[in-house]
Amino acid sequence: MTFLPGDPSRPPRVAYAVGKRVGPAVVRNRVRRRLRAATWAHRAELRPGGAYLFGATPAAASVPFADIDAAMGQLLAGAGRP
């Protein structure tokens, strides 16, 4: 995850980077949907005005959603810290 702080009066922005190494389009789209679902579950932890970029490795295609959700919580808990 990459985080850039911004204007706190704006809502947070989120993007996902899921490259072709993850798999064919069907697999990449499923990984992207799972990342979006995990982000939605942790939406209260997103900092206003922040810009987030979440990347996925090929292992993300076979990891259970509970692991993705837990990793998302850990990443967002550390966002914005030096």
Side-chain angles (χ1 to χ4, degrees):
M1 179 190 82
T2 302
F3 171 76
L4 294 172
D7 181 8
S9 66
R10 300 187 62 174
R13 295 174 297 159
V14 180
Y16 306 95
V18 183
K20 288 187 177 184
R21 290 183 8 172
V22 173
V26 172
V27 174
R28 292 193 311 267
N29 289 334
R30 182 176 18 158
V31 168
R32 196 173 295 111
R33 283 192 306 270
R34 293 170 82 195
L35 287 171
R36 275 197 302 258
T39 304
W40 181 255
H42 294 277
R43 67 188 175 276
E45 299 168 39
L46 295 174
R47 294 175 60 188
Y52 297 85
L53 175 63
F54 295 98
T57 64
S62 60
V63 173
F65 179 75
D67 292 347
I68 292 174
D69 189 50
M72 182 72 67
Q74 291 174 350
L75 288 170
L76 290 174
R81 292 186 185 158

